[in-house]
Amino acid sequence: VSVPEPTVSPAGTGTQLPALDSERLRSTLEEAAQIGRWRSPGVQRLALSDADRQMRDTFCAWCQDSGLEVRIDRVGNVFARRPGAGDEAAEPVMVGSHLDTQVAGGRYDGVLGVLAALEVVRWLEDYGVQTARPVEVVSWCNEEGARFRPPMLGSAVFAGGLSLEAALEELDDDGRRFGDELERIGYAGTARVPGPPPHAYFELHIEQDDLLERAGRDLGIVTSAYSARGMAVRLRGRTGHAGSTPMERRQDALVGAAEVIAGLDALGRQGGTRTRATATRLDAWPNRAGIIAGEALITLDYRHADNSGLNRMTQEVERLITDASARRGLEWSAEAVWEFGSGITFDPNLARLARDNAQRMGVEWLEMTSAAGHDAYWLATVAPTLILFVPCVGGVTHNEHEEIEFDRVLRGANVLAATVLEAAGHELKPLEER
Amino acid sequence: VSVPEPTVSPAGTGTQLPALDSERLRSTLEEAAQIGRWRSPGVQRLALSDADRQMRDTFCAWCQDSGLEVRIDRVGNVFARRPGAGDEAAEPVMVGSHLDTQVAGGRYDGVLGVLAALEVVRWLEDYGVQTARPVEVVSWCNEEGARFRPPMLGSAVFAGGLSLEAALEELDDDGRRFGDELERIGYAGTARVPGPPPHAYFELHIEQDDLLERAGRDLGIVTSAYSARGMAVRLRGRTGHAGSTPMERRQDALVGAAEVIAGLDALGRQGGTRTRATATRLDAWPNRAGIIAGEALITLDYRHADNSGLNRMTQEVERLITDASARRGLEWSAEAVWEFGSGITFDPNLARLARDNAQRMGVEWLEMTSAAGHDAYWLATVAPTLILFVPCVGGVTHNEHEEIEFDRVLRGANVLAATVLEAAGHELKPLEER
């Protein structure tokens, strides 16, 4: 297929604008990848760490240099606003993602969506395009959940799905409080939460699987989400001597945990591509040589492409934990439970708009279901929302070797630009009138 | 059965001495149990911690108050000497155990053997008994291996089974060096290691199983040891997103570790009471919500009542790890391996002496195999050695609820006293001559 010269062609206008500035986006991404650089080419920017602060400071400086007005809310979400031509009080079109990463993070998960949003407003500025509504670039706080529970914390508080008070009291593994760390890095802002719902919310993100790549398409238009449930489960047994305690008298919490971990993996395989189940962390106690584990805390999540499937999995997971505990003489309790994705719907009008733009711009797209959680899930509970996926090489993600083909990603970013422009309203004249 | 009035009756003399001072031993144990008190009635005195220092300081003060001369060697073992009547250079009879505990430690594991030894020399002093050879009370450093690898570190260095240099470089979980911590608590002594082998070594210890209790006997005379092998095994997979990564494309190190942990437990059950196998700790990486584990470090040990059995288990453990790794797409390597107990023999003459004394003193005994490791294993490689077991309630150990019946333990301690006295040589006159 011949790929047309990239342009941004918002639907319904017959108008074409030059494409986004690919070199500017590329170099902005490259600069961001140096912040928290880790196991090159990887990145480690845990939420509210020094690297996160440095990334936020750099991002805010970029926004201010582009003439945007930056505001920070009480949970540390950052908004950078480009005013609209119309009513000052009109709800903005919001575009963004997150700047924090996993412990073993890559260069694109999250940050690509924020910097593509920044490129869209820079591009509006380049061509003096006046939108009717304000356009806001947003970076949500603690999306990964790698440091503070739950994941998507900032967008959850913004959307009213989690109280500010609960969020501020969250502790990391070293017992440091979310609220204190937010103060420490200077990002405890004053904008109120829950925040006012935007007119529309867009998020561009790497796909994190290889379906686009295998289909040879450049854009995923996300129309549904896996339902996901996370739990922190504590198993309690009894410590004892690893040498002298006879096997049949043990209440070994680590063996119980092992059965749960292996069982979860098997459960995740039962539904083919429609299911996932993972124990992501295991904290045993006292976790020392010579002593049988007295406790084990398993952090797990499981996901299903449909909500009734998730409910069945919930029963199976609970049976798995109950059976393993009974066999090993353990007691168990769920210390935390979180859910996302259940019943989420993305806005069909925004999806149609994106589809039409992609079609016109010669970008091949695929309708997709998102298996990963995104801040957009929370935004979808308060505003019309759309996620656009771009391919990542081999689906490798949450891994330092995360990679993209830049040209393919750029095609998706141009579709994002066209769709944001339309959602924000504009007075671009059709080509024949210019 | 009628239990005779407790006395100490060394064999071959017809002599009787009054028994050990039970109230003194009881109150000394009680005082020690307050140091590092934790989850009452438990104790947490990790090697080279502040609690360990406080326990050592108290122990040294007790020794000095009893007129003993304290010396400390370069790896932190503490020796308290009561001179003999004979040649100054004669090898001493050494009696002791360890003062450090597990993270979830009890009041008797280790400390009972040290304080029973102290009671024996106090008792020699009470009755002005002059032994031919010096008697030394010893407290070995870092027996548990709960903080620094390997277990029985101090006695291993003393016996020449581990180099001082290697021991000093060991790191704890927080990266603190053994040598630095030894300096910090003020127990980096000057006595050279390996140390001069004693004439004989005795260790009294709680049994840590319930065989004595079930047999209704008060004393275990240890005539053999399980062979044990410990390993730290690292599995390497690949991090990925717990939601988006399809199950069949995972290389989940935690799932591989789970299969090894469960498999080890099954392996430990194959030999009935003759085998044990345990994963005691599991350190996964990055061990965060939302990400598939890229690495898992399993600390494990397995034991067999005979050495050829241990060799078979070694093959089975390696196959278990290899198979789980192959199934899960992991690579594995052993980062550390340690062994103890293989080929250990305890001195039959000392055992016969203890048996004769027990018989004469009306203490019912049982010949036993030790499944737990003890400092005596290392001493047995350089000197005639004997371990005496005393019952612990329900075999509960490495647990804060470790408990003893004091009267039963006292009977064992009296047999220890008689046997030490004979091994050290004395000029007690037969009863009829006094």
Side-chain angles (χ1 to χ4, degrees):
Chain A
V1 295
S2 79
V3 177
E5 190 64 20
T7 54
V8 175
S9 316
T13 62
T15 296
Q16 287 193 339
L17 284 169
L20 298 176
D21 184 336
S22 67
E23 278 316 306
R24 182 170 57 198
L25 177 55
R26 191 200 297 266
S27 72
T28 306
L29 277 166
E30 183 55 41
E31 207 170 320
Q34 305 311 313
I35 301 176
R37 193 164 171 169
W38 175 87
R39 285 197 185 175
S40 185
V43 175
Q44 182 175 98
R45 278 195 308 260
L46 289 173
L48 313 192
S49 66
D50 290 347
D52 186 21
R53 167 172 34 196
Q54 196 188 338
M55 184 68 248
R56 286 161 173 261
D57 289 351
T58 302
F59 169 65
C60 288
W62 284 334
C63 290
Q64 284 158 343
D65 289 349
S66 299
L68 307 180
E69 180 195 331
V70 172
R71 90 178 174 277
I72 298 158
D73 72 13
R74 294 181 65 190
V75 77
N77 299 315
V78 180
F79 305 85
R81 180 185 184 96
R82 184 172 189 267
D87 183 0
E88 261 293 297
E91 299 91 344
V93 169
M94 209 177 255
V95 198
S97 188
H98 60 94
L99 295 171
D100 68 322
T101 75
Q102 274 288 345
V103 173
R107 299 154 77 104
Y108 303 103
D109 178 356
V111 61
L112 175 65
V114 178
L115 299 185
L118 177 61
E119 176 54 31
V120 169
V121 295
R122 284 171 162 176
W123 165 84
L124 292 173
E125 205 62 21
D126 288 344
Y127 298 100
V129 178
Q130 184 61 65
T131 54
R133 292 181 176 275
V135 176
E136 291 191 352
V137 181
V138 58
S139 167
W140 303 107
C141 183
N142 190 55
E143 192 272 348
E144 293 290 359
R147 183 172 175 199
F148 295 99
R149 242 169 16 199
M152 297 163 272
L153 179 149
S155 51
V157 173
F158 179 87
L162 177 69
S163 78
L164 174 65
E165 293 65 32
L168 295 179
E169 294 306 323
E170 280 295 325
L171 301 177
D172 73 3
D173 285 356
D174 300 320
R176 284 171 302 194
R177 209 177 139 264
F178 182 95
D180 295 339
E181 287 293 281
L182 193 59
E183 293 274 358
R184 186 185 71 80
I185 67 161
Y187 280 83
T190 55
R192 71 184 173 78
V193 285
H199 176 67
Y201 175 69
F202 293 95
E203 183 161 353
L204 180 134
H205 205 282
I206 55 170
E207 178 199 349
Q208 309 189 289
D209 194 357
D210 67 353
L211 303 180
L212 286 173
E213 195 175 68
R214 286 194 282 139
R217 310 280 174 99
D218 292 339
L219 183 70
I221 294 177
V222 177
T223 51
S224 58
Y226 280 62
S227 296
R229 194 175 158 102
M231 292 171 82
V233 175
R234 189 174 298 276
L235 308 182
R236 285 191 180 76
R238 194 168 64 149
T239 63
H241 194 295
S244 60
T245 310
M247 301 304 293
E248 77 277 8
R249 238 184 18 234
R250 299 181 174 204
Q251 294 165 254
D252 188 329
L254 194 46
V255 174
E259 294 183 347
V260 172
I261 293 167
L264 268 177
D265 186 81
L267 186 60
R269 290 167 193 272
Q270 283 177 9
T273 60
R274 296 178 59 75
T275 53
R276 312 273 192 279
T278 319
T280 53
R281 67 183 289 176
L282 192 281
D283 298 280
W285 180 88
N287 212 37
R288 302 279 183 146
I291 186 166
I292 297 164
E295 293 188 19
L297 179 66
I298 311 167
T299 304
L300 62 92
D301 74 56
Y302 52 96
R303 315 191 186 208
H304 197 287
D306 71 62
N307 201 34
S308 61
L310 188 79
N311 291 336
R312 286 194 304 276
M313 284 182 94
T314 296
Q315 293 175 356
E316 290 170 313
V317 168
E318 289 183 0
R319 191 177 318 125
L320 176 64
I321 301 169
T322 303
D323 289 354
S325 298
R327 272 195 303 277
R328 300 301 173 172
L330 312 175
E331 293 181 352
W332 74 274
S333 56
E335 299 209 338
V337 176
W338 56 95
E339 275 198 32
F340 53 87
S342 305
I344 288 285
T345 52
F346 299 111
D347 189 70
N349 295 319
L350 296 183
R352 193 175 56 240
L353 215 54
R355 215 161 48 224
D356 291 350
N357 287 332
Q359 191 102 16
R360 185 170 325 98
M361 294 162 70
V363 179
E364 293 196 278
W365 51 270
L366 202 61
E367 284 202 357
M368 306 194 78
T369 297
S370 173
H374 295 291
D375 292 304
Y377 289 20
W378 280 112
L379 272 292
T381 66
V382 294
T385 291
L386 182 65
I387 301 175
L388 296 177
F389 277 167
V390 288
C392 64
V393 177
V396 173
T397 183
H398 283 198
N399 184 292
E400 63 270 26
H401 298 295
E402 200 173 81
E403 195 47 89
I404 59 172
E405 288 180 52
F406 190 75
D407 289 347
R408 305 184 69 175
V409 163
L410 194 67
R411 286 179 206 126
N414 279 318
V415 173
L416 173 73
T419 313
V420 166
L421 184 53
E422 284 180 84
H426 57 83
E427 298 186 355
L428 291 183
K429 293 194 169 54
L431 275 180
E432 58 273 21
E433 300 178 21
R434 286 167 87 188
Chain B
V1 295
S2 80
V3 177
E5 191 63 19
T7 54
V8 175
S9 315
T13 61
T15 295
Q16 288 193 338
L17 283 169
L20 298 177
D21 185 337
S22 67
E23 279 316 305
R24 182 170 56 198
L25 177 54
R26 192 201 297 265
S27 71
T28 307
L29 278 166
E30 182 57 38
E31 206 169 323
Q34 305 312 313
I35 301 174
R37 192 163 172 171
W38 174 86
R39 283 197 186 176
S40 185
V43 175
Q44 182 175 101
R45 276 194 310 258
L46 290 173
L48 312 192
S49 65
D50 290 346
D52 187 21
R53 166 171 37 195
Q54 195 188 338
M55 183 70 248
R56 286 161 173 260
D57 289 351
T58 301
F59 169 65
C60 289
W62 284 334
C63 290
Q64 284 158 341
D65 289 349
S66 299
L68 306 180
E69 180 194 333
V70 172
R71 91 178 172 278
I72 298 158
D73 74 13
R74 294 182 65 190
V75 75
N77 299 315
V78 180
F79 305 86
R81 182 183 182 95
R82 184 173 189 267
D87 183 359
E88 261 295 293
E91 299 90 343
V93 170
M94 209 177 255
V95 199
S97 189
H98 60 95
L99 294 172
D100 68 322
T101 74
Q102 274 288 346
V103 173
R107 300 155 77 104
Y108 303 103
D109 178 356
V111 60
L112 175 66
V114 178
L115 298 185
L118 176 61
E119 176 53 33
V120 168
V121 295
R122 282 171 163 177
W123 165 85
L124 292 172
E125 205 61 21
D126 288 344
Y127 299 101
V129 178
Q130 185 61 65
T131 55
R133 293 181 175 274
V135 176
E136 290 191 353
V137 181
V138 58
S139 167
W140 304 107
C141 184
N142 190 55
E143 191 272 346
E144 292 290 358
R147 184 172 173 198
F148 295 101
R149 243 169 17 198
M152 296 162 272
L153 179 150
S155 51
V157 172
F158 179 88
L162 176 70
S163 79
L164 175 64
E165 292 65 32
L168 296 180
E169 294 306 323
E170 281 294 326
L171 300 178
D172 73 3
D173 285 354
D174 300 318
R176 285 172 300 195
R177 207 176 140 265
F178 182 94
D180 295 340
E181 286 292 284
L182 193 59
E183 293 272 358
R184 187 185 69 82
I185 67 161
Y187 280 84
T190 55
R192 72 182 172 79
V193 286
H199 176 67
Y201 175 69
F202 293 93
E203 183 162 354
L204 179 132
H205 205 283
I206 55 170
E207 179 200 348
Q208 308 189 290
D209 195 355
D210 66 354
L211 303 180
L212 286 173
E213 195 175 68
R214 285 195 280 140
R217 309 279 174 99
D218 292 340
L219 184 69
I221 294 176
V222 178
T223 51
S224 59
Y226 279 62
S227 296
R229 194 175 158 101
M231 292 171 82
V233 175
R234 190 175 296 277
L235 308 182
R236 285 191 181 77
R238 194 168 65 147
T239 64
H241 194 294
S244 60
T245 312
M247 302 303 295
E248 78 275 9
R249 241 189 10 239
R250 299 182 174 203
Q251 294 165 254
D252 187 329
L254 193 47
V255 174
E259 295 183 346
V260 172
I261 293 167
L264 269 176
D265 186 83
L267 186 61
R269 290 167 193 272
Q270 283 176 9
T273 60
R274 294 177 61 74
T275 53
R276 311 273 192 281
T278 318
T280 54
R281 69 182 289 175
L282 191 281
D283 298 280
W285 180 88
N287 212 38
R288 302 279 183 146
I291 186 166
I292 297 164
E295 293 188 18
L297 179 66
I298 310 168
T299 305
L300 61 92
D301 76 56
Y302 52 96
R303 315 191 187 209
H304 198 288
D306 73 62
N307 201 34
S308 61
L310 188 79
N311 292 337
R312 286 194 304 277
M313 284 182 94
T314 295
Q315 294 176 356
E316 291 170 312
V317 168
E318 288 182 359
R319 191 177 318 125
L320 176 63
I321 301 169
T322 303
D323 289 354
S325 297
R327 270 195 304 277
R328 301 298 174 173
L330 311 175
E331 293 181 351
W332 74 274
S333 56
E335 298 210 337
V337 177
W338 56 96
E339 276 199 28
F340 52 88
S342 304
I344 287 286
T345 52
F346 299 110
D347 189 70
N349 294 320
L350 296 183
R352 193 175 55 240
L353 216 54
R355 217 162 45 225
D356 292 350
N357 287 333
Q359 190 101 20
R360 187 171 324 97
M361 293 162 71
V363 179
E364 294 197 277
W365 52 271
L366 202 61
E367 284 201 357
M368 307 192 78
T369 298
S370 175
H374 294 291
D375 292 305
Y377 289 21
W378 280 111
L379 272 292
T381 66
V382 295
T385 290
L386 183 65
I387 301 175
L388 297 177
F389 277 167
V390 289
C392 63
V393 177
V396 173
T397 184
H398 283 198
N399 183 292
E400 62 270 28
H401 298 296
E402 201 173 82
E403 195 45 271
I404 59 171
E405 287 180 52
F406 190 75
D407 289 347
R408 305 184 71 174
V409 164
L410 194 66
R411 287 180 205 127
N414 278 318
V415 174
L416 173 73
T419 315
V420 166
L421 184 52
E422 285 180 86
H426 57 84
E427 299 186 354
L428 290 183
K429 294 194 168 56
L431 275 180
E432 57 274 23
E433 298 179 23
R434 287 165 86 186

